[in-house]
Amino acid sequence: MTEDAALAGQLAGHRVVLCYGLFGELMAGLRPLGLDYMAGQRAWLARIGADVSVARLPTAAPVERNATRLADLIGGDPRPVALVRHRNRGGEAVAALRRPGAAARCRAFLALQAPFRGSPVADAALASGPLRQAAHHALRLARIGEGQGLLDLTTPVREAWMRDRASAIAALTAVVPVASLATAIPDPPGWRDRPYLPLARWMAQIGAGPGDGLVPVASTILPGARHEVLPGGHRALVAAGPGRDPVGLLRRELALLLAATPSPPPPSPAPHPLSR
């Protein structure tokens, strides 16, 4: 049996839901122009017979608002789901999975370069009040979110969010198979990673450690999840190119997560701090 056939068997009766990173919904809408950076993964999943869809979330909306939307999407179909989340605010997937009934439906959660603890780049970009206002108006005009959504990416906001919900996160990762993958730009970097190199060096200089140019590796650690660091820049795990195999990576990770034996889901207390 080929790897694709084996994975197709694991995915039988499941849904695969892809969640794009910041501005990803705009890229997905430009798929005919070749700008959808996860088009290859979507096409491959469809070829092996998987039921694959994209979560239509405004990627610059506030975390809790998108968490509600994602929880509704998970709960709107009785089939189990494999959730693949790229880039910004993996925390909204964590928050969604702690909503009543959501964890019981999730058989796998793969976070790719997710800044669970925020990004210093977001901190710097939003340090100026006028810049923050300009970003807010631009995002509303593009209909993908608002300024609060960008503030939700900052280190102080994310660190406090993770700290306040530590016990809930531990309970979640105890029952849902979760993997969090990060990248760090190698030395020397490939040509595709060079645009991210100045920001990666800046983050290292301010004490954030190595990263992919936008997200420090330390920010991608989710307690209780399997964590792995691979070489590359911010799109290395999802965008095809020389030396990259995003389909192979997704095949491997889905197979590993789906092979894990989940524990029974914990009860969902009400109210829960993740639901606020």
Side-chain angles (χ1 to χ4, degrees):
M1 181 180 291
T2 67
E3 290 180 318
D4 280 359
L7 181 60
Q10 289 178 289
L11 286 172
H14 290 64
R15 296 180 293 152
V16 180
V17 176
L18 306 180
C19 303
Y20 283 62
L22 189 62
F23 302 115
E25 70 270 49
L26 299 181
M27 297 296 185
L30 296 174
R31 189 177 185 185
L33 300 179
L35 297 179
D36 180 355
Y37 60 83
M38 293 186 77
Q41 293 93 312
R42 291 170 64 186
W44 163 71
L45 284 164
R47 279 199 306 273
I48 69 171
D51 183 338
V52 57
S53 62
V54 174
R56 301 297 180 183
L57 303 174
T59 57
V63 164
E64 295 298 337
R65 196 177 301 166
N66 267 354
T68 298
R69 293 183 177 111
L70 187 56
D72 289 345
L73 187 153
I74 293 170
D77 190 308
R79 292 173 297 168
V81 64
L83 190 62
V84 180
R85 174 86 218 190
H86 180 235
R87 297 198 301 189
N88 65 306
R89 296 198 313 268
E92 69 189 22
V94 175
L97 291 174
R98 284 300 301 168
R99 304 295 169 93
R105 295 269 176 88
C106 187
R107 282 285 288 111
F109 171 31
L110 174 60
L112 301 172
Q113 297 161 294
F116 293 110
R117 290 171 174 79
S119 169
V121 177
D123 299 349
L126 297 181
S128 162
L131 181 59
R132 194 161 55 240
Q133 280 297 106
H136 170 76
H137 292 303
L139 294 171
R140 287 180 66 87
L141 187 63
R143 298 183 179 181
I144 64 170
E146 57 197 67
Q148 181 59 50
L150 293 183
L151 284 171
D152 281 349
L153 287 173
T154 59
T155 300
V157 171
R158 300 308 324 144
E159 287 281 5
W161 196 95
M162 294 287 290
R163 182 176 61 250
D164 293 346
R165 294 156 176 80
S167 61
I169 292 169
L172 173 66
T173 55
V175 298
V176 175
V178 183
S180 178
L181 273 57
T183 56
I185 295 179
D187 186 14
W191 68 269
R192 289 175 178 269
D193 299 328
R194 288 194 190 109
Y196 299 106
L197 188 58
L199 284 174
R201 287 174 172 168
W202 171 76
M203 287 195 297
Q205 288 169 358
I206 65 172
D212 62 15
L214 291 179
V215 180
V217 168
S219 184
T220 66
I221 297 172
L222 184 68
R226 177 169 55 84
H227 188 252
E228 184 176 352
V229 183
L230 300 168
H234 191 59
R235 292 177 62 183
L237 301 184
V238 291
R244 296 178 178 179
D245 184 10
V247 166
L249 178 77
L250 184 57
R251 178 193 295 115
R252 183 194 76 175
E253 291 301 319
L254 285 176
L256 288 172
L257 289 168
L258 291 167
T261 303
S263 304
S268 299
H272 194 281
L274 277 177
S275 299
R276 294 201 297 264

